[in-house]
Amino acid sequence: MARTSRPHPSIETCRAHFALETDPSLPPNCFRGMASVFGILLDTWIPTRILRGAFTKTLLENRSRIKVLWQHNDAWPIGLPLTLEERADGLYVEAEISADVLEGQRCLALMRPLPAAGRPVIDELSIGFDPIKWEMVDLGNETIERHIKELRLWEFSPVTFAANRDAKITAVHSLQRALGCTEAFAEDVLPLVERAARAADPTAALLVFVQQLGERLKGHSLTDTTQASLVNAIASLTAVLPTAEPPARPALTVRVQQALRDLDLASLAARVAA
């Protein structure tokens, strides 16, 4: 049950509400969000608020030991932080999840929006910490809060229900399923190209598709037939691009062209490894 009380007038209460989005520009299996938001009353047995500056020392001294857990369970470590940054409103994080462990796979799947619902099952974050410096503040009416000025951070976790209601995952990498390199590769790829060409913003759709395709190719060895199919797919993308480009967005065309070059390099590297 959430605890409620009137906020202390000296406490800045930050209430940020985020909508989680999928972002193909994030590295594979990565997410970002706010692991903690300052000034929010935590749903804990001691009514607690974390104050601005509480993470400063721990990020200097303990950064290398901080892990990403699944649901705060230290038996389920699932990843590592890539970015830990104390901002004006709280602790901003970017992290990579291991898709090689079952809990990591489950976490990634639940952080991505469900097709019909349009939102994910897991979109909240929570931190595991030891309080170092705090003060107990009497707000009157038998209400006492603990205000944490310094803490030691050990982990942050994607969770079902966070104690800090505004600690949210804001974006997750959009790749969901691997596209195998099979003899029917062209049958899988070319309809996606055609769908991108019919999109409301075709060039942006092409960019997303090419980036995802390159990521899906990583680690695969290509047969001669698959290699030829991929070359045909790249040629199809290149042919579609000039007609898809809105006149005001030449920069996006450059990004798609670069992605196509990267995709071709990825295919050649995979062919050499075959």
Side-chain angles (χ1 to χ4, degrees):
M1 179 181 294
R3 301 176 183 270
T4 59
S5 65
R6 62 184 179 86
H8 189 275
S10 65
I11 297 299
E12 179 182 357
T13 302
C14 303
R15 295 185 178 180
H17 298 279
F18 307 103
L20 191 150
E21 62 179 10
T22 55
D23 186 351
S25 70
L26 280 169
N29 304 326
C30 292
F31 72 91
R32 62 172 172 260
M34 298 298 295
S36 179
V37 177
F38 295 137
I40 299 300
L41 186 63
L42 304 186
D43 182 15
T44 54
W45 68 279
I46 302 178
T48 297
R49 298 180 194 269
I50 297 176
L51 305 188
R52 184 178 298 174
F55 295 96
T56 302
K57 189 173 182 182
T58 193
L59 294 184
L60 290 174
E61 299 178 349
N62 202 46
R63 180 184 294 265
S64 64
R65 301 191 69 191
I66 297 169
K67 304 293 193 297
V68 182
L69 304 184
W70 174 236
Q71 302 282 0
H72 285 310
N73 192 328
D74 59 10
W76 294 338
I78 58 171
L80 292 171
L82 302 175
T83 300
L84 291 163
E85 181 181 326
E86 185 172 25
R87 295 182 173 179
D89 54 345
L91 181 65
Y92 172 82
V93 299
E94 295 180 3
E96 180 178 7
I97 301 299
S98 173
D100 295 326
V101 297
L102 181 60
E103 293 78 17
Q105 295 172 9
R106 180 178 290 114
C107 174
L108 287 166
L110 293 175
M111 284 196 299
R112 293 180 174 117
L114 296 176
R119 60 190 181 93
V121 177
I122 298 294
D123 64 352
E124 300 184 9
L125 290 172
S126 184
I127 60 173
F129 65 93
D130 293 330
I132 304 298
K133 295 180 180 179
W134 69 92
E135 65 176 348
M136 304 303 294
V137 179
D138 188 350
L139 302 180
N141 297 324
E142 299 183 349
T143 300
I144 297 177
E145 293 182 358
R146 179 179 61 165
H147 294 170
I148 296 180
K149 299 179 178 180
E150 180 187 331
L151 57 78
R152 180 176 293 111
L153 181 65
W154 293 107
E155 54 91 7
F156 57 93
S157 296
V159 294
T160 307
F161 301 107
N164 187 328
R165 63 180 178 271
D166 287 347
K168 297 288 189 180
I169 301 166
T170 56
V172 62
H173 182 256
S174 62
L175 180 60
Q176 296 187 56
R177 291 177 295 275
L179 180 62
C181 293
T182 66
E183 299 301 329
F185 187 77
E187 295 178 9
D188 295 325
V189 171
L190 295 179
L192 295 177
V193 177
E194 294 169 358
R195 187 184 308 166
R198 293 193 300 269
D201 189 346
T203 311
L206 281 175
L207 178 60
V208 172
F209 168 70
V210 175
Q211 290 172 332
Q212 290 187 349
L213 182 59
E215 291 160 359
R216 293 173 185 182
L217 283 173
K218 290 179 180 177
H220 290 281
S221 297
L222 307 182
T223 64
D224 289 338
T225 302
T226 299
Q227 174 74 6
S229 298
L230 180 60
V231 171
N232 289 336
I234 294 173
S236 298
L237 285 167
T238 304
V240 168
L241 183 60
T243 59
E245 173 65 1
R249 304 189 67 182
L252 194 55
T253 297
V254 174
R255 291 175 62 193
V256 176
Q257 290 170 337
Q258 180 60 53
L260 287 170
R261 289 194 293 271
D262 292 343
L263 178 60
D264 192 41
L265 292 174
S267 70
L268 292 175
R271 184 70 187 94
V272 170

